[in-house]
Amino acid sequence: MLPTAPFSVRMTHNQAAKRFRAAVQHAFLTALFLASPPAAATAAETPDILLVTVDTLRADRLSGYGYSRPTSPNLDRLMATGARFTEARTVEPLTNPALTSLVTSLYPHEHGATRNGLRMRPELQSLPKVLDERGYRTAAFVSNWTLKDSISGLSEHFERYEEVLTKKRWFGFFKGEATAEDVNEAALTWLSETAGRRRPVFAWVHYTEPHAPYLHQRDQGKRLGIDGSTKENRYDSEIGFVDEKIGDLLEALPRSRRGTLVVFTSDHGESLGEHDYWGHGRNLYEPGLHVPLSISWPGVIDPAKITAPALLTDIAPTVLGLLGLDIPQSFRGYDWSAVLRHGQAPPEQRTSLFQAHKGAVLSNQEAGNARRAGLLEVGILRDGNKEVLRLTNDRHRLFDLAEDPGERSNLSEEGIDESEALRQWRDLVISGLERTEGLPPADVDPESVEKLKALGYIN
């Protein structure tokens, strides 16, 4: 029987290497595309569904995740009404790839949108498409230039796809994002128009705060007792600001006789100086991967804290599973509905898989080979042990997150080589990227180039 105890730095190097390889390789092929069967529903259940995503939001800066500052009182109350996942991660720490993975339940090398500025494959199956087929009206309200349909391809999946771009970015002269108030106004207008009608609704609302450059929100700074003298303080004040606006959205939601299923998460986290890095997207350290995730459905999902590993790709199959709907075979994520509704044991031994790519594609010429050439890192996580390979220099990193949550001690430097599972994952990602070379090149117009540069999405 394979050992189940966490890997420990107190083992000998040979023992540690054998245990790590055995555990990861045993799980790799079975857990790579792990999905549980959908939970059966005794009757048609069609709640309204609200998906709330916040750009660049680290889980550990929310008070509901133990942060010392009360940054997120409204989100804390929301998460307390349902299941809160403590070990949720993105599959890639970049906006367009991550959110495309969320709606399609595919990895970036499969859906093709591996970088900001690269469109996803056309005609893929997705959560909003399945809901539309089952009678839902679907809408998205996005506030980040990288999610514009012309450079993401996401509007194909929604009845209404509204790009809310009302605010200037990085002190520039163009409008590349929106304030949370403007996003709320757009979303609530549509929700009010559809309220009370026979068809249920699925609405995705994406907020840009607290994305860099971290503006100081004075009212929130006063509430939190902080000034705007540091980046960390400004980041926290932005979280407080978006939390307040999400509270406004939840309070103003039209009351639904169907009830409302609310999913809250982030596209990725943010490095705030850890490993001498500010930002996100270029590596697979925990500050960029770890995200908040909660699923609330009063009367159906009991409040719970789930410590088993979760991924953004799990959201689509889980929502369909909760509704008792069939899950497309293409979906790669895990369906948590049996855990949430029926107390099934969570997949504690699950293997999580990640990839990191360069930032934005800034020219049509570059776009021809941008997917394969843009791959930076691949990673794999099991039993609290994270293994990462950087393809640009073949550097291997191995961390025991239980013993070393800050990822400071690279066990690979002490004689442990990369596992066969990590090499298999690397090869699978590369082969998938090579298959995308036949996709039409991205239409990166000059306006988008300038806006992507101004947003900080550069190589």
Side-chain angles (χ1 to χ4, degrees), residues 169-190:
R169 188 69 178 166
W170 289 95
F171 313 107
F173 300 99
F174 70 91
K175 294 176 179 179
E177 63 174 46
T179 63
E181 295 103 328
D182 290 341
V183 180
N184 279 357
E185 181 179 357
L188 288 170
T189 297
W190 183 81

Side-chain angles (χ1 to χ4, degrees), residues 258-436:
R258 303 180 182 91
T260 303
L261 191 165
V262 182
V263 179
F264 157 66
T265 191
S266 174
D267 51 355
H268 53 75
E270 179 84 332
S271 289
L272 299 174
E274 296 93 346
H275 303 97
D276 298 319
Y277 180 63
W278 287 85
H280 57 268
R282 310 311 194 271
N283 61 56
L284 295 176
Y285 287 110
E286 285 297 286
L289 289 182
H290 190 202
V291 296
L293 172 62
S294 71
I295 302 176
S296 304
W297 189 4
V300 178
I301 299 176
D302 292 331
K305 182 175 74 171
I306 297 178
T307 59
L311 292 169
L312 291 191
T313 47
D314 300 344
I315 290 173
T318 298
V319 169
L320 296 180
L322 288 169
L323 272 57
L325 301 178
D326 291 337
I327 298 171
Q329 291 185 351
S330 62
F331 281 15
R332 304 304 195 190
Y334 180 80
D335 171 19
W336 289 86
S337 61
V339 176
L340 301 182
R341 298 193 66 168
H342 307 300
Q344 176 179 294
E348 299 286 354
Q349 304 303 314
R350 182 186 187 188
T351 297
S352 300
L353 303 161
F354 318 103
Q355 52 195 269
H357 299 256
K358 293 180 181 178
V361 174
L362 301 179
S363 73
N364 288 330
Q365 182 178 7
E366 180 192 7
N369 188 39
R371 292 175 176 86
R372 173 63 185 90
L375 182 61
L376 295 175
E377 293 188 351
V378 293
I380 184 169
L381 171 65
R382 179 175 166 80
D383 289 337
N385 307 291
K386 189 166 78 174
E387 221 187 340
V388 176
L389 180 64
R390 188 163 186 89
L391 277 71
T392 54
N393 57 12
D394 289 328
R395 186 189 177 207
H396 176 240
R397 307 195 300 273
L398 173 61
F399 303 104
D400 176 356
L401 296 184
E403 297 285 342
D404 179 26
E407 299 168 289
R408 295 182 175 88
S409 178
N410 180 7
L411 300 180
S412 178
E413 295 176 350
E414 301 178 20
I416 300 178
D417 296 329
E418 68 225 42
S419 67
E420 178 62 23
L422 182 63
R423 288 192 288 269
Q424 289 180 21
W425 175 231
R426 173 202 61 196
D427 294 344
L428 190 62
V429 171
I430 290 174
S431 64
L433 295 173
E434 289 173 345
R435 286 194 296 272
T436 63

Side-chain angles (χ1 to χ4, degrees), residues 173-248:
F173 300 99
F174 70 91
K175 294 176 179 179
E177 63 174 46
T179 63
E181 295 103 328
D182 290 341
V183 180
N184 279 357
E185 181 179 357
L188 288 170
T189 297
W190 183 81
L191 288 167
S192 297
E193 292 171 353
T194 57
R197 301 189 179 181
R198 292 197 305 173
R199 295 176 62 186
V201 299
F202 168 67
W204 171 28
V205 183
H206 180 71
Y207 298 93
T208 298
E209 300 95 351
H211 195 290
Y214 319 141
L215 303 180
H216 182 55
Q217 303 289 343
R218 295 185 182 277
D219 289 345
Q220 290 298 321
K222 291 179 181 178
R223 182 181 70 83
L224 295 170
I226 57 177
D227 58 26
S229 60
T230 67
K231 290 182 180 180
E232 292 92 337
N233 283 356
R234 295 195 293 273
Y235 181 82
D236 286 352
S237 77
E238 291 258 61
I239 295 174
F241 176 77
V242 75
D243 174 83
E244 177 186 352
K245 302 312 171 186
I246 292 173
D248 292 344

